[in-house]
Every structure is written in structure tokens, then in C-alpha cells.
Amino acid sequence: MAEDIIKLTDINKSYTIHSNKITALKDINLKIREGEFLVISGPSGAGKTTLLNMIAGLDKPDSGEIIVSGKKYSTLNEERMTLYRALNIGIVFQDYNLISTFTARENIELPLFLLEFGEERIKRRALKMLNLVNLAERSEHLPSQLSNGEQRRISFARALVNDPPIILADEPTANLDKQNSENIILLLNNLKSKEKTIIVVTHNQQILKLADRTMYLYEGEMKTEKPSSLLENLF
């Protein structure tokens, strides 16, 4: 039986906006097995992106413990967390998060420079990723010269360039046409076949069908089953 690769224990997170305290996550307890495909769903504002950011080490909880691949996040300073993330976690952001002055190829190469790979190895890996997402001919284009679907595929290529064991994707088919959505779903299915640990925030029915398990967030709380009050908000 696969071991737990991610463990969140009693995670709480809140933000203060204009003197108002907003609770994003409440007492989250979650274990994710190695090689599992987990979908997290829920209405807007439920805390889904905050939860992904916690798993990625991009944000810190107010209380609780996060352990990924046996490493306690609370023991890592910012520099060590950045290196750990570069080695272990690929992130596909909802807003792409591509550097506007970098070409598609340069955006893909960036995580490898953080790991001080040799220049030739970096170029080979970037080309392999461009071919994987069928965008080799767009390698020297800036993000502004790419469609939404192309930018999303470049963000996937960047997330995968270091072959990380864990993939996080936030609404990967949002604002995409049918063809580009299908391309992303095929890519996720391919990653599943390679036994990557995949965590996707989505409402996409086709991605939900790929999931080994679906969890639901509602007002910052984790549910194992979809609350009836979510039905009209989710779909």
C-alpha cells in the first residue's frame, strides 16, 4: 500500500483585509498517498487556492504542521524551502505566473537555473518539455504573444521540467476552449499513468473522473462528501 507523501495536521489560516479578519482554512487535516490523484473542489472563496499554497510552501499556516516527503515545513527557512520546492513540487498557477519579459523557453528553464543545472542540460530539458506540450515552434515567443491555452501549457511545461514527484494545479482548464481543455486533460491523464502525486483544484467533470479521490472545501473546512448546500454553487 502506498505511503502518505503529504500530511497536513490541524492547519488554520486567516488574513486581515481592511481590519476584517477572514478565515481561509479551519482545522484542516489531510493525508495524501504517494501516486494519488486528488481533486479539491468547492465554491469560490472556500480556501482552495490557499490550501494549494500551503502544500507548495508558498504560504505559512497560522497553526498546524505540514509534512511533505518526510520534511517538516516548519523546519525550513525561506531559502531551503525554495530549493526543496524546486526539487519536489511542480506548480501550475491559475493565472499562469509566467515572467512577461522571458520567452516561453526561458520561463520553462527558470526552475533549472535555481538548481544550477549545466546550460546544455537546461536547454535539452526545456526542448523536451516544449515538445511534450506541442509548443516547440513557440519557444521564442513572449507570454503576450501566446494564447491562454498556450500559456497554460507553458506553465505545465515549467512545472514538469524538473520531473518532480508532486504536481499541483489550480483550475488548469479555467478560461480555456474545448480543444485546449482536452489537451490539458490528456496531459493530466499521462501524468497519472506515471504515478505522480497530483492535486488539482477544479470543477471540470472530466478531471473529476480521473481522480482517485475528491475532497470538498466549504467556508475553509474540509468535507469528504459534497455538502448539499454546494450543489448549485459548484456546477
Side-chain angles (χ1 to χ4, degrees), residues 37-41 208 211-216 223-225:
F37 192 130
L38 173 69
V39 163
I40 299 172
S41 197
L208 284 164
D212 298 310
R213 181 165 53 123
T214 301
M215 303 293 292
Y216 301 92
K223 311 290 184 180
T224 55
E225 295 183 2

Side-chain angles (χ1 to χ4, degrees), residues 31-153:
K31 294 180 180 180
I32 302 169
R33 299 185 306 277
E34 185 176 8
E36 183 175 11
F37 192 130
L38 173 69
V39 163
I40 299 172
S41 197
S44 177
K48 303 184 298 296
T49 296
T50 300
L51 181 57
L52 277 194
N53 287 341
M54 293 290 167
I55 296 171
L58 293 169
D59 201 355
K60 296 180 180 179
D62 297 331
S63 62
E65 185 70 77
I66 301 171
I67 301 174
V68 177
S69 298
K71 184 69 68 175
K72 287 185 178 181
Y73 279 8
S74 59
T75 68
L76 302 177
N77 61 27
E78 187 174 344
E79 182 179 356
R80 291 175 66 197
M81 185 70 246
T82 298
L83 179 59
Y84 183 79
R85 183 168 49 245
L87 286 167
N88 294 280
I89 303 173
I91 309 168
V92 181
F93 296 94
Q94 185 174 355
D95 60 358
Y96 317 133
N97 209 28
L98 300 176
I99 297 175
S100 62
T101 56
F102 281 18
T103 65
R105 174 182 54 80
E106 289 168 337
N107 269 284
I108 294 169
E109 290 174 346
L110 186 59
L112 301 181
F113 280 109
L114 293 174
L115 299 174
E116 300 182 353
F117 280 29
E119 188 173 342
E120 287 304 313
R121 186 180 179 188
I122 288 173
K123 287 182 178 179
R124 288 197 303 270
R125 286 294 300 172
L127 179 60
K128 182 177 181 179
M129 292 300 101
L130 283 162
N131 284 322
L132 176 68
V133 296
N134 297 315
L135 286 175
E137 75 284 358
R138 308 287 272 168
S139 65
E140 302 308 309
H141 287 67
L142 296 172
S144 61
Q145 298 170 312
L146 303 173
S147 69
N148 285 341
E150 289 169 338
Q151 290 185 66
R152 186 65 53 80
R153 282 188 279 160

Side-chain angles (χ1 to χ4, degrees), residues 204-222:
N204 185 291
Q205 288 293 314
Q206 290 178 275
I207 298 177
L208 284 164
K209 291 177 182 177
L210 294 177
D212 298 310
R213 181 165 53 123
T214 301
M215 303 293 292
Y216 301 92
L217 270 178
Y218 184 58
E219 296 182 348
E221 296 184 89
M222 187 70 76

